[in-house]
Amino acid sequence: MVKAYSQEHTYKHPWERITSASWRKFADPENKHTLSHILQVDTLNHKLEPESGKLHTTRAITIHAPGPWFLCKIVGQDICHCVESTVVDAKTRSMQLATKNISLQKYVEVEEKIRYDPHPDNPNEWTICRQETSIRIKPLSTLASMAEKIEQKCVDKFLQNSAKGREVMERMCKYLEAESSSRGISV
């Protein structure tokens, strides 16, 4: 069984500010408390395509495992390693992130896709964020009702963390807006 959900959120900030905030949200010390499930983020590689101008980045993210405590006991660890692949296309003003776990895969598969684009109603001032997440608990597939409950608990935790992520993005955008105002530039 797979639990999947999708969300949309409109940021009342331009695309350039949102993408800047996305890159900086894990590094800002003020966000450590809100994003306490994020333990470490490392950039593994980045490449700029000269012809298209697209930026491709791969990051390793280490997190506290998002499932219920008893799942961590069964698995024997409470951290999870993930890989995030990002493509930024400045020409079309699109940023796409795809994150999936690379550890604990024999127990759980999680895939998250996020896309930031200018909002169609106000493309120069607003950004639309579309997020899709799927969670599949594997070893309990024969015990479907238990697997479904665990998947739902994972979904609930991911939804909480998504709300925290939006809070951090808003805080970063306000910081970037104030920073750019003091320098007389627009981001």
Side-chain angles (χ1 to χ4, degrees):
M1 174 143 305
V2 175
K3 282 281 185 185
Y5 69 90
S6 60
Q7 312 183 83
E8 275 191 12
H9 180 74
T10 299
Y11 289 101
K12 305 261 171 119
H13 300 281
W15 179 83
E16 292 78 6
R17 187 176 301 142
I18 289 295
T19 55
S20 293
S22 179
W23 289 119
R24 294 171 68 171
K25 69 181 176 185
F26 296 130
D28 189 77
E30 285 186 42
N31 298 332
K32 296 288 185 197
H33 177 72
T34 307
L35 299 176
S36 60
H37 63 289
I38 306 290
L39 301 175
Q40 187 171 338
V41 178
D42 295 300
T43 300
L44 302 177
N45 113 29
H46 59 276
K47 176 180 76 170
L48 182 63
E49 290 180 3
E51 306 81 37
S52 68
K54 290 181 182 177
L55 174 64
H56 296 264
T57 303
T58 305
R59 299 195 291 186
I61 302 175
T62 304
I63 63 169
H64 282 291
W69 66 269
F70 58 86
L71 186 59
C72 295
K73 289 286 186 192
I74 293 169
V75 170
Q77 67 184 73
D78 64 348
I79 62 167
C80 182
H81 300 284
C82 305
V83 171
E84 174 194 82
S85 300
T86 305
V87 178
V88 179
D89 186 339
K91 289 180 184 173
T92 63
R93 298 174 74 207
S94 175
M95 180 179 197
Q96 298 176 50
L97 301 92
T99 308
K100 65 182 201 171
N101 63 303
I102 57 170
S103 66
L104 307 177
Q105 286 184 328
K106 76 180 197 181
Y107 302 104
V108 63
E109 288 180 349
V110 177
E111 187 171 2
E112 177 184 54
K113 294 179 181 178
I114 298 175
R115 183 178 175 120
Y116 298 105
D117 294 295
H119 195 287
D121 294 342
N122 193 349
N124 293 321
E125 298 297 323
W126 297 352
T127 304
I128 190 161
C129 171
R130 293 180 178 96
Q131 177 187 19
E132 297 175 5
T133 304
S134 66
I135 301 166
R136 179 174 169 235
I137 303 296
K138 291 169 118 179
L140 303 173
S141 56
T142 54
L143 304 168
S145 66
M146 184 179 226
E148 192 171 328
K149 288 175 185 168
I150 294 171
E151 287 168 344
Q152 187 58 52
K153 287 207 176 280
C154 291
V155 165
D156 294 344
K157 190 67 170 173
F158 270 82
L159 287 169
Q160 290 172 2
N161 288 342
S162 293
K164 289 178 183 179
R166 288 189 298 275
E167 177 187 325
V168 165
M169 289 290 286
E170 287 290 348
R171 185 170 40 242
M172 289 304 302
C173 285
K174 287 177 181 153
Y175 170 79
L176 290 167
E177 185 175 26
E179 183 182 77
S180 64
S181 293
S182 70
R183 294 182 182 174
I185 56 174
S186 132
V187 172

